[in-house]
Amino acid sequence: MSMAVLVGALTLSVVFAVAGVAKLLDGTGSRTAVREFGVPGPLVGLAGVGLPLLELAISILLLPAATRQAGAIAALVMLLVFCAAIGRAMVRGEAPACHCFGQLHSTPAGWKTLARNGVLAGVAAFVAVGASSNPGPGAFAWLGELGGVAWLVVALGVVLALVLAVGGYAVV
């Protein structure tokens, strides 16, 4: 089960990291989205910056085994708040742009967005419960076992990932 907990934590970490970075890169869209979801005017700027920073913090907390459960609980709470906000908007007949992933992906909040957040909340709950008894290995524990050539392969992989990320950002 520890490997399933690790996979769930890594999945959540990637989702939260992408969402956080995408929102930070599109500050105007993030502020518009939180305003449309009903955040009071004076708090829009704080929420527009604070939300992506919180997502990034959660992403980081999910990686080490020692903080995995706290990160999963924070992710679960945040996802449930998102579900409540989406549900509230739907009940009112509104469909604000979720702006969940900044400019990468923004559609009107609805059943699909609610379902996605519900599934992610389920993963977060699984990780939180699983991490309480056996959090699994840290996301980077395997690095300590690498030799010289393996480190070179990892370094090349990181460089390739950065080139793809920068290229992808440039295209978007």
Side-chain angles (χ1 to χ4, degrees):
M1 178 151 131
S2 65
M3 212 42 146
V5 170
L6 176 60
V7 169
L10 290 175
T11 301
L12 289 170
S13 181
V14 168
V15 168
F16 274 83
V18 169
V21 169
K23 284 183 185 103
L24 283 176
L25 293 175
D26 185 23
T28 302
S30 294
R31 286 188 301 278
T32 300
V34 295
R35 184 180 310 109
E36 288 180 0
F37 271 102
V39 173
L43 299 177
V44 166
L46 178 64
V49 173
L51 178 62
L53 293 177
L54 184 57
E55 288 174 329
L56 290 172
I58 289 170
S59 174
I60 292 167
L61 284 172
L62 287 162
L63 296 176
T67 59
R68 184 163 295 143
Q69 185 178 27
I73 291 169
L76 177 60
V77 169
M78 181 175 265
L79 288 162
L80 291 177
V81 167
F82 289 164
C83 286
I86 294 166
R88 176 180 171 262
M90 289 172 63
V91 166
R92 292 177 160 198
E94 301 167 353
C98 78
H99 224 67
C100 302
F101 297 99
Q103 289 180 340
L104 294 176
H105 177 71
S106 181
T107 59
W111 287 109
K112 185 177 176 182
T113 311
L114 190 61
R116 180 185 64 228
N117 284 328
V119 168
L120 289 171
V123 173
F126 171 78
V127 172
V129 170
S132 67
S133 61
N134 184 1
F140 302 107
W142 56 273
L143 289 174
E145 301 172 9
L146 295 180
V149 173
W151 271 106
L152 180 61
V153 171
V154 169
L156 290 174
V158 168
V159 168
L160 177 62
L162 288 173
V163 167
L164 290 173
V166 170
Y169 176 72
V171 168
V172 171

PDB file of all heavy atoms in Angstrom, residues 85-108:
ATOM      1  N   ALA A  85     -17.471  25.732  -3.170  1.00  0.00           N
ATOM      2  CA  ALA A  85     -17.603  26.965  -3.957  1.00  0.00           C
ATOM      3  C   ALA A  85     -18.251  26.689  -5.311  1.00  0.00           C
ATOM      4  O   ALA A  85     -19.114  27.455  -5.766  1.00  0.00           O
ATOM      5  CB  ALA A  85     -16.233  27.616  -4.147  1.00  0.00           C
ATOM      6  N   ILE A  86     -17.861  25.588  -5.922  1.00  0.00           N
ATOM      7  CA  ILE A  86     -18.453  25.220  -7.213  1.00  0.00           C
ATOM      8  C   ILE A  86     -19.922  24.865  -7.028  1.00  0.00           C
ATOM      9  O   ILE A  86     -20.781  25.299  -7.806  1.00  0.00           O
ATOM     10  CB  ILE A  86     -17.677  24.044  -7.855  1.00  0.00           C
ATOM     11  CG1 ILE A  86     -16.266  24.490  -8.225  1.00  0.00           C
ATOM     12  CG2 ILE A  86     -18.414  23.504  -9.082  1.00  0.00           C
ATOM     13  CD1 ILE A  86     -15.317  23.349  -8.537  1.00  0.00           C
ATOM     14  N   GLY A  87     -20.220  24.076  -6.000  1.00  0.00           N
ATOM     15  CA  GLY A  87     -21.608  23.703  -5.713  1.00  0.00           C
ATOM     16  C   GLY A  87     -22.467  24.921  -5.435  1.00  0.00           C
ATOM     17  O   GLY A  87     -23.609  25.019  -5.916  1.00  0.00           O
ATOM     18  N   ARG A  88     -21.934  25.870  -4.677  1.00  0.00           N
ATOM     19  CA  ARG A  88     -22.664  27.115  -4.361  1.00  0.00           C
ATOM     20  C   ARG A  88     -22.971  27.865  -5.655  1.00  0.00           C
ATOM     21  O   ARG A  88     -24.097  28.343  -5.855  1.00  0.00           O
ATOM     22  CB  ARG A  88     -21.826  27.973  -3.426  1.00  0.00           C
ATOM     23  CG  ARG A  88     -22.422  29.312  -3.105  1.00  0.00           C
ATOM     24  CD  ARG A  88     -21.488  30.091  -2.154  1.00  0.00           C
ATOM     25  NE  ARG A  88     -21.918  31.434  -1.988  1.00  0.00           N
ATOM     26  CZ  ARG A  88     -21.440  32.488  -2.632  1.00  0.00           C
ATOM     27  NH1 ARG A  88     -20.466  32.334  -3.512  1.00  0.00           N
ATOM     28  NH2 ARG A  88     -21.900  33.687  -2.414  1.00  0.00           N
ATOM     29  N   ALA A  89     -21.990  27.979  -6.537  1.00  0.00           N
ATOM     30  CA  ALA A  89     -22.205  28.683  -7.803  1.00  0.00           C
ATOM     31  C   ALA A  89     -23.248  27.963  -8.645  1.00  0.00           C
ATOM     32  O   ALA A  89     -24.127  28.607  -9.249  1.00  0.00           O
ATOM     33  CB  ALA A  89     -20.887  28.804  -8.565  1.00  0.00           C
ATOM     34  N   MET A  90     -23.194  26.645  -8.665  1.00  0.00           N
ATOM     35  CA  MET A  90     -24.144  25.879  -9.474  1.00  0.00           C
ATOM     36  C   MET A  90     -25.567  26.051  -8.951  1.00  0.00           C
ATOM     37  O   MET A  90     -26.506  26.191  -9.738  1.00  0.00           O
ATOM     38  CB  MET A  90     -23.741  24.401  -9.503  1.00  0.00           C
ATOM     39  CG  MET A  90     -22.489  24.138 -10.324  1.00  0.00           C
ATOM     40  SD  MET A  90     -21.867  22.452 -10.180  1.00  0.00           S
ATOM     41  CE  MET A  90     -23.219  21.525 -10.853  1.00  0.00           C
ATOM     42  N   VAL A  91     -25.734  26.047  -7.624  1.00  0.00           N
ATOM     43  CA  VAL A  91     -27.060  26.224  -7.027  1.00  0.00           C
ATOM     44  C   VAL A  91     -27.630  27.586  -7.385  1.00  0.00           C
ATOM     45  O   VAL A  91     -28.831  27.732  -7.605  1.00  0.00           O
ATOM     46  CB  VAL A  91     -26.982  26.028  -5.487  1.00  0.00           C
ATOM     47  CG1 VAL A  91     -28.224  26.536  -4.793  1.00  0.00           C
ATOM     48  CG2 VAL A  91     -26.742  24.569  -5.165  1.00  0.00           C
ATOM     49  N   ARG A  92     -26.766  28.580  -7.474  1.00  0.00           N
ATOM     50  CA  ARG A  92     -27.201  29.934  -7.830  1.00  0.00           C
ATOM     51  C   ARG A  92     -27.406  30.107  -9.333  1.00  0.00           C
ATOM     52  O   ARG A  92     -27.764  31.187  -9.787  1.00  0.00           O
ATOM     53  CB  ARG A  92     -26.164  30.945  -7.358  1.00  0.00           C
ATOM     54  CG  ARG A  92     -26.080  31.055  -5.868  1.00  0.00           C
ATOM     55  CD  ARG A  92     -24.991  32.006  -5.479  1.00  0.00           C
ATOM     56  NE  ARG A  92     -25.213  32.465  -4.141  1.00  0.00           N
ATOM     57  CZ  ARG A  92     -24.658  33.534  -3.619  1.00  0.00           C
ATOM     58  NH1 ARG A  92     -23.839  34.268  -4.351  1.00  0.00           N
ATOM     59  NH2 ARG A  92     -24.905  33.886  -2.388  1.00  0.00           N
ATOM     60  N   GLY A  93     -27.118  29.067 -10.102  1.00  0.00           N
ATOM     61  CA  GLY A  93     -27.271  29.153 -11.544  1.00  0.00           C
ATOM     62  C   GLY A  93     -26.114  29.855 -12.231  1.00  0.00           C
ATOM     63  O   GLY A  93     -26.222  30.265 -13.385  1.00  0.00           O
ATOM     64  N   GLU A  94     -25.011  29.997 -11.530  1.00  0.00           N
ATOM     65  CA  GLU A  94     -23.839  30.659 -12.086  1.00  0.00           C
ATOM     66  C   GLU A  94     -22.860  29.618 -12.611  1.00  0.00           C
ATOM     67  O   GLU A  94     -22.861  28.476 -12.175  1.00  0.00           O
ATOM     68  CB  GLU A  94     -23.148  31.494 -10.999  1.00  0.00           C
ATOM     69  CG  GLU A  94     -24.040  32.556 -10.384  1.00  0.00           C
ATOM     70  CD  GLU A  94     -23.448  33.151  -9.122  1.00  0.00           C
ATOM     71  OE1 GLU A  94     -22.405  32.649  -8.636  1.00  0.00           O
ATOM     72  OE2 GLU A  94     -24.030  34.118  -8.593  1.00  0.00           O
ATOM     73  N   ALA A  95     -22.020  30.028 -13.531  1.00  0.00           N
ATOM     74  CA  ALA A  95     -20.978  29.149 -14.055  1.00  0.00           C
ATOM     75  C   ALA A  95     -19.709  29.966 -14.272  1.00  0.00           C
ATOM     76  O   ALA A  95     -19.273  30.179 -15.407  1.00  0.00           O
ATOM     77  CB  ALA A  95     -21.429  28.481 -15.348  1.00  0.00           C
ATOM     78  N   PRO A  96     -19.083  30.433 -13.169  1.00  0.00           N
ATOM     79  CA  PRO A  96     -17.856  31.221 -13.337  1.00  0.00           C
ATOM     80  C   PRO A  96     -16.736  30.360 -13.914  1.00  0.00           C
ATOM     81  O   PRO A  96     -16.705  29.143 -13.730  1.00  0.00           O
ATOM     82  CB  PRO A  96     -17.519  31.668 -11.908  1.00  0.00           C
ATOM     83  CG  PRO A  96     -18.217  30.704 -11.018  1.00  0.00           C
ATOM     84  CD  PRO A  96     -19.420  30.213 -11.773  1.00  0.00           C
ATOM     85  N   ALA A  97     -15.828  30.996 -14.624  1.00  0.00           N
ATOM     86  CA  ALA A  97     -14.678  30.268 -15.152  1.00  0.00           C
ATOM     87  C   ALA A  97     -13.851  29.774 -13.970  1.00  0.00           C
ATOM     88  O   ALA A  97     -13.491  30.561 -13.098  1.00  0.00           O
ATOM     89  CB  ALA A  97     -13.852  31.165 -16.052  1.00  0.00           C
ATOM     90  N   CYS A  98     -13.580  28.488 -13.929  1.00  0.00           N
ATOM     91  CA  CYS A  98     -12.873  27.931 -12.775  1.00  0.00           C
ATOM     92  C   CYS A  98     -11.425  28.398 -12.745  1.00  0.00           C
ATOM     93  O   CYS A  98     -10.861  28.563 -11.682  1.00  0.00           O
ATOM     94  CB  CYS A  98     -12.939  26.409 -12.754  1.00  0.00           C
ATOM     95  SG  CYS A  98     -11.804  25.599 -13.895  1.00  0.00           S
ATOM     96  N   HIS A  99     -10.833  28.587 -13.883  1.00  0.00           N
ATOM     97  CA  HIS A  99      -9.440  29.037 -13.966  1.00  0.00           C
ATOM     98  C   HIS A  99      -8.537  28.140 -13.121  1.00  0.00           C
ATOM     99  O   HIS A  99      -7.557  28.594 -12.540  1.00  0.00           O
ATOM    100  CB  HIS A  99      -9.344  30.499 -13.532  1.00  0.00           C
ATOM    101  CG  HIS A  99      -8.469  31.303 -14.427  1.00  0.00           C
ATOM    102  ND1 HIS A  99      -8.786  31.572 -15.726  1.00  0.00           N
ATOM    103  CD2 HIS A  99      -7.271  31.873 -14.216  1.00  0.00           C
ATOM    104  CE1 HIS A  99      -7.843  32.286 -16.263  1.00  0.00           C
ATOM    105  NE2 HIS A  99      -6.898  32.480 -15.379  1.00  0.00           N
ATOM    106  N   CYS A 100      -8.899  26.871 -13.050  1.00  0.00           N
ATOM    107  CA  CYS A 100      -8.190  25.910 -12.195  1.00  0.00           C
ATOM    108  C   CYS A 100      -6.717  25.801 -12.563  1.00  0.00           C
ATOM    109  O   CYS A 100      -5.869  25.622 -11.695  1.00  0.00           O
ATOM    110  CB  CYS A 100      -8.847  24.540 -12.298  1.00  0.00           C
ATOM    111  SG  CYS A 100     -10.579  24.541 -11.852  1.00  0.00           S
ATOM    112  N   PHE A 101      -6.416  25.874 -13.840  1.00  0.00           N
ATOM    113  CA  PHE A 101      -5.047  25.727 -14.303  1.00  0.00           C
ATOM    114  C   PHE A 101      -4.621  26.959 -15.104  1.00  0.00           C
ATOM    115  O   PHE A 101      -3.944  26.847 -16.128  1.00  0.00           O
ATOM    116  CB  PHE A 101      -4.890  24.452 -15.124  1.00  0.00           C
ATOM    117  CG  PHE A 101      -5.156  23.217 -14.310  1.00  0.00           C
ATOM    118  CD1 PHE A 101      -6.383  22.584 -14.363  1.00  0.00           C
ATOM    119  CD2 PHE A 101      -4.189  22.712 -13.464  1.00  0.00           C
ATOM    120  CE1 PHE A 101      -6.638  21.469 -13.593  1.00  0.00           C
ATOM    121  CE2 PHE A 101      -4.432  21.587 -12.683  1.00  0.00           C
ATOM    122  CZ  PHE A 101      -5.658  20.967 -12.759  1.00  0.00           C
ATOM    123  N   GLY A 102      -5.018  28.140 -14.621  1.00  0.00           N
ATOM    124  CA  GLY A 102      -4.626  29.385 -15.260  1.00  0.00           C
ATOM    125  C   GLY A 102      -4.999  29.406 -16.723  1.00  0.00           C
ATOM    126  O   GLY A 102      -6.090  28.995 -17.103  1.00  0.00           O
ATOM    127  N   GLN A 103      -4.075  29.872 -17.564  1.00  0.00           N
ATOM    128  CA  GLN A 103      -4.329  29.944 -19.004  1.00  0.00           C
ATOM    129  C   GLN A 103      -4.240  28.573 -19.664  1.00  0.00           C
ATOM    130  O   GLN A 103      -4.669  28.407 -20.795  1.00  0.00           O
ATOM    131  CB  GLN A 103      -3.339  30.884 -19.671  1.00  0.00           C
ATOM    132  CG  GLN A 103      -3.562  32.333 -19.337  1.00  0.00           C
ATOM    133  CD  GLN A 103      -2.560  33.233 -20.030  1.00  0.00           C
ATOM    134  OE1 GLN A 103      -1.501  32.795 -20.458  1.00  0.00           O
ATOM    135  NE2 GLN A 103      -2.888  34.500 -20.134  1.00  0.00           N
ATOM    136  N   LEU A 104      -3.693  27.591 -18.948  1.00  0.00           N
ATOM    137  CA  LEU A 104      -3.582  26.252 -19.540  1.00  0.00           C
ATOM    138  C   LEU A 104      -4.949  25.629 -19.761  1.00  0.00           C
ATOM    139  O   LEU A 104      -5.171  24.925 -20.741  1.00  0.00           O
ATOM    140  CB  LEU A 104      -2.751  25.334 -18.638  1.00  0.00           C
ATOM    141  CG  LEU A 104      -1.286  25.693 -18.462  1.00  0.00           C
ATOM    142  CD1 LEU A 104      -0.632  24.736 -17.470  1.00  0.00           C
ATOM    143  CD2 LEU A 104      -0.563  25.651 -19.798  1.00  0.00           C
ATOM    144  N   HIS A 105      -5.868  25.859 -18.798  1.00  0.00           N
ATOM    145  CA  HIS A 105      -7.193  25.243 -18.909  1.00  0.00           C
ATOM    146  C   HIS A 105      -8.164  26.014 -18.032  1.00  0.00           C
ATOM    147  O   HIS A 105      -8.000  26.065 -16.822  1.00  0.00           O
ATOM    148  CB  HIS A 105      -7.142  23.783 -18.479  1.00  0.00           C
ATOM    149  CG  HIS A 105      -8.477  23.101 -18.508  1.00  0.00           C
ATOM    150  ND1 HIS A 105      -9.108  22.799 -19.686  1.00  0.00           N
ATOM    151  CD2 HIS A 105      -9.295  22.685 -17.522  1.00  0.00           C
ATOM    152  CE1 HIS A 105     -10.267  22.206 -19.407  1.00  0.00           C
ATOM    153  NE2 HIS A 105     -10.401  22.133 -18.109  1.00  0.00           N
ATOM    154  N   SER A 106      -9.144  26.623 -18.653  1.00  0.00           N
ATOM    155  CA  SER A 106     -10.164  27.342 -17.903  1.00  0.00           C
ATOM    156  C   SER A 106     -11.492  27.164 -18.607  1.00  0.00           C
ATOM    157  O   SER A 106     -11.665  27.578 -19.750  1.00  0.00           O
ATOM    158  CB  SER A 106      -9.820  28.824 -17.800  1.00  0.00           C
ATOM    159  OG  SER A 106     -10.803  29.487 -17.050  1.00  0.00           O
ATOM    160  N   THR A 107     -12.417  26.506 -17.925  1.00  0.00           N
ATOM    161  CA  THR A 107     -13.762  26.301 -18.453  1.00  0.00           C
ATOM    162  C   THR A 107     -14.748  26.741 -17.382  1.00  0.00           C
ATOM    163  O   THR A 107     -14.384  26.871 -16.213  1.00  0.00           O
ATOM    164  CB  THR A 107     -14.010  24.813 -18.793  1.00  0.00           C
ATOM    165  OG1 THR A 107     -13.822  24.038 -17.608  1.00  0.00           O
ATOM    166  CG2 THR A 107     -13.065  24.328 -19.867  1.00  0.00           C
ATOM    167  N   PRO A 108     -15.989  26.956 -17.768  1.00  0.00           N
ATOM    168  CA  PRO A 108     -16.981  27.290 -16.747  1.00  0.00           C
ATOM    169  C   PRO A 108     -17.106  26.151 -15.723  1.00  0.00           C
ATOM    170  O   PRO A 108     -17.122  24.977 -16.084  1.00  0.00           O
ATOM    171  CB  PRO A 108     -18.273  27.452 -17.542  1.00  0.00           C
ATOM    172  CG  PRO A 108     -17.834  27.766 -18.931  1.00  0.00           C
ATOM    173  CD  PRO A 108     -16.538  27.015 -19.114  1.00  0.00           C
TER     174      PRO A 108
END
